[in-house]
Amino acid sequence: MAEPTIFDLSVAGRTGVTFPEPDVPETALPKGFLREKLQLPEMSELEVVRHFTSISQKNYAIDLGFYPLGSCTMKYNPKINEVVSRLPGFAATHPLQPIDTVQGNLFLMYSLQEMLKEIAGFAAVTLQPAAGAQGELVGTLIIHKYHQERGDHQRTRMLIPDSAHGTNPASSAMLGFEVVPLPSDERGNVDIAALKELCDDRLAGLMFTNPNTLGLFDENVCEVVDIVHKAGGLVYGDGANMNALLGVFRPGDVGIDILHFNLHKTFSTPHGGGGPGSGPVAVQQHLVDYLPDPIVGIIDEGDEETAPLYGFIHPEKSIGRIKSFYGHFGMHIRAYTYIAMLGQEGLRDVAEIAVLNANYLQEKLKDTFTLPYDRPCMHEFVLEGYWKDVPDIHALDIAKRLMDYDFHPPTNYFPLIVHEALMIEPTETETKETLDRFVDAMRKIAEEARTNPELLHNAPHNTPVRRADELKAAKDLVLCCYVGDDWPGVQE
Amino acid sequence: MFTPHTKHDVEVMLNSIGVGKIEDLFQEIPEQFRYPDLNLAPRLTEMETAGQLESIAAANATTKDLLSFLGAGAYDHYIPAAVDNLLQRGEFYTAYTPYQPEISQGTLQAIFEFQTLICKLTGMDVSNASHYDGATAAAEAVILAYGNFRNKRKKVLVSRAVNPQYRQVIRTYMQADSSLKIVGDEIETGIAPDMQKFIDQIDHDTALVIVQYPDFFGRIIDYTQLIETAHQFGALVAVAVNPTALGMLTPPGDIGADIAFGEGQPLGIPLSYGGPYLGFFAVKNALLRKLAGRLVGETTDVEGKLAYVLTLTAREQHIRREKASSNICSNQGLMTLAATIYMSLLGKHGLQQVANLCYQKAHYTADQLSGISGFSLVDETTPFFHEFVVKCDEPVEEVLEHLLQHNILGGYNLGHDYPELENHLMLAVTEKISREDIEYLSAVLQEENHG
Ligand SMILES: Cc1ncc(COP(=O)(O)O)c(C=O)c1O
């Protein structure tokens, strides 16, 4: 049975919360501005609780099982994060309070900036960006402004490897950069010859994901950075895959100019069913003045008796404000907590085990599936979800069949350069037993593809709904619950 | 700490991979850069970390310790207990974007309901699944409008009475294209409630007109003439709205807005020092195909059962790449869920009640303050919702400092953003403020004046 919507459940006259009657003398309402009808659901508190509990049970989630969604780093989200970020001392602070009343918040943000600088090897960090894609926008804005300031107006081309995530070209295009695709070589690295050819005085920069979306560390990283720099461009690092590098390698050490983090991947803040994310951006010394306005800094060093005073700094050549206030503070608290609990040792352990888990799965699966780039991988790897002997089975079928085995499918059809891609990222928080069960399921599915392909074509079988008609959704667009004039919930 | 591997596990796994030690898996990383020494504090246990975070939090004074009249874009409303309780279900908050509809119906249905609630609240036809916050929603409105006219119209008019941070973010987003003009918020155009000087700037080159409702100063302004004029020139109109006020006020859809957007934080989302919040964004049907961000639609599965899916994804970056309508990927998923639960719990009556309480208490506060010498209401005639401006005879900083000494966060100093409003204080009053609180505020201000 489909769960009714909150509008179906509405009965005129009910309410889930009541508020006190006004305790002040009444003022007349603003005539001419009053709305006539307000079609919101009317439900009791229990009905609301049951409804959302019931629909929650139709979700798959990390708390329920293995979620090897490549590029998304679906690791365990520690419960302590949820507790500390809700402490009233944080949650009940208003963003416009005087700074001396929020020294705790500012200290935490300053410390997180310092931690991220240290982890990735940069000179400064902004916590403002709301997500990875907004971090990219900050980065590309910095690249734009940097070239403008230097009078390099002809630098309008952004090189983007063909394996890059869709947000990379989309962010560049938002600023009017010409997006120039950069091919990968047969080992999955940036094609150096092609890069050299594209490096002229029109080059603004390169958006470089390393490890890339194939899960491979670009072996020529130093050379790539060098070539771009020699041509006068800047290198933007998409740090979505930093989970592989914590405590192992710092992108800043090889001269990457700008890097965004995804706190909601690498640093354990929850994905929340699509967000909120948090995408801090780190820069090298020569770009510090371009950071978004404001960033958190020490505005008075203090002395033996008085603690330093934290406040806001307004970078000189700032690209400006990128969102309201200071970023997703609730996510900053969670990431700070996570890093505090790991330290150098724990961070390195995260990267090592994430890479160990991925290589283990890669090794176990590469006989059953085609592995287009047969090299040690980093935190993830990409298989082909396709066999020549059963050509009507696709990555999508394999993905859907995995649901019948109680697994979340890998990312499919991305990166675009692998045919029928299945992108698998186990993360470090999964046990060997879980990985083994996943291997069994994948091998079983490969067998089923030959013996009973209909099982795959019709999968999933046991989920709350089965394959949904996406064409119909797009054709007969229904984007709202039905609330007609005959809706009982609206009777006055 | 969060890695479950035993020594034995690691050995077995390394064996099956065929390497001797984990470091061998990192051979491709240039050796001189491998394993840098990080200057981080030693790791802590969960117990120690919890203690540390508690003491950091204790270094703040909060809106629970202080009586707060701060608003200016973030509002301290009561959040019913059920909102956060439901948000903490792991099935919701540890799920990813619902790309696999068969196992994401919970998230998808909640977004579908959110889209409906936003449409009903704003009087618009289609809502997306969120932008990052009110400010970035404003920037997305500008991008949508330029795109709508294929960049042929080069001007966006944004009122000076629109939240200054929204205006800053719009300019940040649009700075790379020097042919675009973001105008209308100059000091000369001003903030007069009749908006005549602003309306006069609407012309055939105008792609979009942006106003706020209630405006940044809390005023409820009649935009009918402005919208009519804009439409005569073929321009689009975007109205930034406070969702709480829509419990009472005519929705922007009914007065002809093409786009309604805003900051959804008042809908059950904690202040949390500025984020994460929620940008909502809704349009009339004519702009449906121009809308950025995720959209959930209804369909059926192979058995004919009702199902929800992400739809019209061909507008988005993962399909269209550089041709996408926006680069947005992660949005404010969990915050839309908070708003959906909040609106379901309050429903029609609850939201009407909250809007009315805010309105009544703000008016009582304004009334009290206007009787204190040294303070005057800036505008006695324009209606307002739950925020208003007081002119102080003394420097605002001193007034605020005095109030803080009496445990009151007195409001927002408008001089920060408006040089013409030096010594003007803006106060916001929500349902959480009681009559005693208001009378305490006025008693402390009386004292300030005579002390
Ligand atoms: C490689 C890569 N870059 C960028 C992004 C965009 O990040 P966000 O969703 O936080 O905007 C993602 C997210 O999936 C990603 O995997």
Side-chain angles (χ1 to χ4, degrees):
Chain A
M1 249 276 297
E3 171 72 21
T5 70
I6 48 176
F7 289 88
D8 301 328
L9 293 166
S10 175
V11 173
R14 285 200 182 126
T15 181
V17 223
T18 32
F19 289 86
E21 289 304 309
D23 56 356
V24 295
E26 301 236 354
T27 305
L29 298 180
K31 271 203 211 68
F33 291 102
L34 301 178
R35 72 186 296 158
E36 276 162 22
K37 69 178 179 191
L38 181 60
Q39 291 181 314
L40 295 185
E42 299 173 51
M43 299 167 75
S44 71
E45 180 174 342
L46 175 58
E47 295 297 308
V48 172
V49 169
R50 285 205 180 129
H51 172 71
F52 288 99
T53 305
S54 160
I55 65 171
S56 79
Q57 291 174 335
K58 301 183 177 192
N59 270 4
Y60 195 87
I62 300 169
D63 283 0
L64 289 167
F66 185 45
Y67 215 128
L69 194 62
S71 208
C72 301
T73 314
M74 300 299 281
K75 62 170 73 182
Y76 174 58
N77 304 145
K79 299 296 170 191
I80 184 70
N81 288 350
E82 300 308 305
V83 173
V84 293
S85 58
R86 285 172 170 82
L87 289 171
F90 295 128
T93 51
H94 190 287
L96 298 172
Q97 283 183 219
I99 57 168
D100 49 340
T101 67
V102 284
Q103 285 297 299
N105 292 346
L106 294 167
F107 165 80
L108 185 139
M109 291 171 75
Y110 180 80
S111 305
L112 180 59
Q113 289 172 187
E114 293 293 303
M115 288 164 160
L116 294 174
K117 271 163 63 175
E118 184 65 19
I119 289 168
F122 286 86
V125 165
T126 170
L127 302 179
Q128 223 180 87
Q134 211 190 22
E136 293 171 23
L137 190 64
V138 165
T140 46
L141 280 164
I142 291 174
I143 293 173
H144 174 80
K145 189 150 186 184
Y146 172 84
H147 290 311
Q148 294 297 313
E149 296 258 322
R150 294 161 57 97
D152 279 350
H153 306 291
Q154 82 292 352
R155 292 195 178 271
T156 54
R157 302 177 87 182
M158 193 71 80
L159 306 186
I160 301 192
D162 51 11
S163 57
H165 192 263
T167 50
N168 289 189
S171 302
S172 293
M174 275 171 84
L175 301 186
F177 283 116
E178 182 196 343
V179 171
V180 182
L182 184 60
S184 307
D185 68 16
E186 72 285 355
R187 282 183 62 76
N189 299 323
V190 161
D191 186 324
I192 294 283
L195 173 66
K196 282 186 177 152
E197 211 153 291
L198 290 165
C199 278
D200 54 26
D201 68 350
R202 292 171 298 173
L203 176 70
L206 162 71
M207 293 188 85
F208 190 34
T209 310
N210 191 21
N212 63 22
T213 64
L214 298 165
L216 302 174
F217 190 87
D218 197 305
E219 298 150 302
N220 309 319
V221 56
C222 297
E223 199 182 349
V224 168
V225 172
D226 195 47
I227 293 169
V228 173
H229 282 168
K230 286 225 168 87
L234 295 176
V235 180
Y236 180 87
D238 178 332
N241 296 338
M242 274 299 287
N243 209 46
L245 302 180
L246 298 174
V248 177
F249 174 78
R250 310 199 308 169
D253 289 349
V254 295
I256 302 226
D257 298 281
I258 311 171
L259 179 94
H260 85 251
F261 303 86
N262 296 63
L263 299 188
H264 47 304
K265 300 178 187 214
T266 314
F267 297 101
S268 82
T269 80
H271 284 81
S278 181
V281 168
V283 293
Q284 300 277 9
Q285 194 60 47
H286 58 286
L287 299 174
V288 169
D289 288 341
Y290 294 89
L291 283 175
D293 181 22
I295 56 172
V296 179
I298 293 179
I299 55 175
D300 185 347
E301 291 287 347
D303 51 36
E304 267 136 58
E305 254 124 75
T306 44
L309 182 70
Y310 299 93
F312 294 107
I313 291 176
H314 308 285
E316 220 175 287
K317 302 175 188 165
S318 174
I319 56 157
R321 172 180 287 287
I322 191 77
K323 74 178 296 297
S324 287
F325 306 118
Y326 327 112
H328 287 164
F329 178 65
M331 301 299 128
H332 305 160
I333 302 169
R334 291 168 171 88
Y336 173 94
T337 303
Y338 183 70
I339 297 169
M341 285 179 75
L342 291 173
Q344 151 143 351
E345 208 185 324
L347 290 172
R348 177 171 160 176
D349 181 51
V350 164
E352 291 193 332
I353 300 296
V355 170
L356 177 70
N357 274 358
N359 277 285
Y360 179 72
L361 277 185
Q362 172 172 283
E363 188 60 33
K364 293 265 175 182
L365 291 171
K366 74 179 188 193
D367 295 336
T368 317
F369 293 81
T370 305
L371 175 66
Y373 300 91
D374 192 357
R375 284 168 53 179
C377 64
M378 290 281 110
H379 62 301
E380 65 192 0
F381 60 99
V382 183
L383 298 173
E384 283 183 15
Y386 180 81
W387 299 279
K388 283 205 185 67
D389 59 322
V390 269
D392 61 338
I393 295 287
H394 298 276
L396 189 73
D397 302 311
I398 298 166
K400 299 298 181 193
R401 183 64 181 149
L402 271 167
M403 296 177 191
D404 288 332
Y405 288 91
D406 283 333
F407 292 114
H408 195 283
T411 297
N412 41 68
Y413 301 104
F414 176 74
L416 307 176
I417 59 171
V418 173
H419 181 55
E420 300 270 344
L422 287 173
M423 183 192 207
I424 302 173
E425 180 179 13
T427 84
E428 71 283 1
T429 52
E430 299 298 333
T431 61
K432 176 172 173 294
E433 297 89 271
T434 300
L435 303 184
D436 288 337
R437 278 193 295 113
F438 180 72
V439 169
D440 289 346
M442 289 288 276
R443 288 181 180 162
K444 192 88 196 294
I445 291 170
E447 200 181 297
E448 289 168 353
R450 276 78 181 201
T451 55
N452 192 353
E454 284 316 289
L455 265 183
L456 274 70
H457 285 140
N458 296 328
H461 299 83
N462 311 320
T463 45
V465 299
R466 306 212 15 219
R467 277 197 212 192
D469 187 345
E470 299 191 1
L471 289 178
K472 174 177 165 183
K475 192 165 96 335
D476 308 339
L477 279 184
V478 180
L479 303 171
C480 281
C481 310
Y482 176 72
V483 191
D485 284 335
D486 55 345
W487 178 56
V490 295
Q491 281 161 19
E492 294 298 317
Chain B
M1 180 98 45
F2 303 111
T3 48
H5 296 53
T6 63
K7 266 210 177 90
H8 177 71
D9 290 338
V10 173
E11 268 165 35
V12 175
M13 292 169 80
L14 286 172
N15 257 338
S16 79
I17 299 167
V19 294
K21 52 185 193 312
I22 292 186
E23 193 174 341
D24 297 345
L25 298 171
F26 293 98
Q27 291 304 320
E28 293 171 351
I29 296 181
E31 195 174 354
Q32 71 271 36
F33 298 113
R34 224 182 288 154
Y35 295 122
D37 197 27
L38 302 185
N39 180 17
L40 294 172
R43 66 202 292 180
L44 301 175
T45 61
E46 181 181 309
M47 185 173 85
E48 292 164 310
T49 311
Q52 188 188 93
L53 270 291
E54 274 162 23
S55 57
I56 298 173
N60 295 323
T62 73
T63 55
K64 288 190 192 300
D65 312 320
L66 306 168
L67 173 58
S68 172
F69 294 91
L70 266 174
Y75 302 95
D76 187 17
H77 290 285
Y78 181 72
I79 304 173
V83 176
D84 195 43
N85 187 281
L86 289 164
L87 282 195
Q88 290 203 51
R89 294 190 65 86
E91 296 94 327
F92 282 132
Y93 85 86
T94 73
Y96 191 69
T97 304
Y99 287 129
Q100 301 286 348
E102 298 85 353
I103 48 174
S104 310
Q105 287 297 300
T107 297
L108 287 162
Q109 180 163 346
I111 298 172
F112 189 73
E113 292 173 351
F114 170 81
Q115 291 172 180
T116 314
L117 289 164
I118 291 297
C119 289
K120 292 295 151 195
L121 194 62
T122 56
M124 306 300 285
D125 300 322
V126 193
S127 159
N128 76 3
S130 70
H131 281 298
Y132 303 132
D133 62 11
T136 67
E140 295 281 356
V142 172
I143 295 170
L144 184 157
Y146 281 128
N148 183 60
F149 297 106
R150 299 178 191 287
N151 292 355
K152 293 214 171 72
R153 291 184 177 224
K154 293 294 188 188
K155 184 162 131 185
V156 164
L157 275 174
V158 53
S159 156
R160 190 166 174 82
V162 167
N163 187 321
Q165 296 202 351
Y166 294 12
R167 290 183 279 126
Q168 289 163 12
V169 171
I170 290 171
R171 290 195 161 91
T172 301
Y173 269 59
M174 305 316 289
Q175 66 188 277
D177 188 342
S178 53
S179 72
L180 304 180
K181 294 185 290 281
I182 316 273
V183 290
D185 61 343
E186 303 75 19
I187 193 162
E188 302 76 39
T189 309
I191 52 170
D194 69 15
M195 311 224 21
Q196 203 50 57
K197 283 189 180 161
F198 180 74
I199 294 172
D200 288 346
Q201 296 178 43
I202 303 174
D203 58 18
H204 285 293
D205 197 32
T206 307
L208 181 70
V209 179
I210 308 178
V211 290
Q212 191 170 340
Y213 174 75
D215 72 12
F216 182 62
F217 308 109
R219 300 176 303 181
I220 305 167
I221 299 215
D222 182 357
Y223 292 126
T224 26
Q225 195 221 326
L226 178 146
I227 293 176
E228 242 168 61
T229 310
H231 286 167
Q232 274 160 16
F233 284 98
L236 298 175
V237 178
V239 180
V241 282
N242 178 330
T244 309
L246 294 183
M248 171 184 285
L249 301 181
T250 312
D254 288 12
I255 55 170
D258 303 287
I259 301 168
F261 69 92
E263 177 51 69
Q265 177 274 331
L267 300 172
I269 297 168
L271 289 170
S272 189
Y273 204 53
Y277 290 172
L278 164 61
F280 62 86
F281 196 99
V283 297
K284 291 284 171 61
N285 271 329
L287 294 176
L288 161 65
R289 309 266 161 185
K290 306 280 160 60
L291 192 58
R294 297 176 183 145
L295 274 175
V296 172
E298 195 181 281
T299 187
T300 46
D301 74 357
V302 288
E303 290 171 354
K305 198 163 151 185
L306 177 70
Y308 302 99
V309 292
L310 290 171
T311 192
L312 298 185
T313 52
R315 303 160 297 117
E316 292 182 65
Q317 49 73 29
H318 64 283
I319 312 276
R320 286 294 290 284
R321 296 176 79 83
E322 67 270 18
K323 298 201 176 62
S325 47
S326 165
N327 69 339
I328 192 167
C329 180
S330 287
N331 59 13
Q332 299 301 106
L334 201 67
M335 284 24 248
T336 67
L337 180 65
T340 306
I341 299 169
Y342 177 88
M343 285 189 271
S344 304
L345 282 167
L346 267 69
K348 172 179 154 182
H349 303 290
L351 198 69
Q352 284 172 337
Q353 243 192 323
V354 168
N356 186 52
L357 285 166
C358 290
Y359 180 86
Q360 297 299 344
K361 289 170 191 254
H363 283 75
Y364 184 64
T365 314
D367 193 50
Q368 291 279 301
L369 298 197
S370 66
I372 304 175
S373 71
F375 300 93
S376 52
L377 286 188
V378 172
D379 183 339
E380 304 264 6
T381 50
T382 311
F384 64 93
F385 178 57
H386 72 342
E387 219 160 5
F388 60 92
V389 181
V390 190
K391 185 172 186 316
C392 313
D393 290 352
E394 281 174 56
V396 176
E397 287 82 6
E398 285 172 27
V399 176
L400 287 172
E401 186 50 43
H402 174 75
L403 288 170
L404 192 55
Q405 276 163 17
H406 291 81
N407 293 328
I408 299 173
L409 289 167
Y412 186 62
N413 177 357
L414 286 171
H416 286 326
D417 298 301
Y418 296 89
E420 72 274 35
L421 296 178
E422 208 192 323
N423 294 333
H424 285 60
L425 180 65
M426 183 161 78
L427 294 91
V429 189
T430 71
E431 76 281 4
K432 285 175 83 172
I433 302 282
S434 70
R435 181 175 186 150
E436 290 83 75
D437 294 337
I438 298 166
E439 288 167 1
Y440 176 62
L441 169 74
S442 59
V444 175
L445 284 175
Q446 297 263 11
E447 186 193 308
E448 147 98 5
N449 205 38
H450 304 291

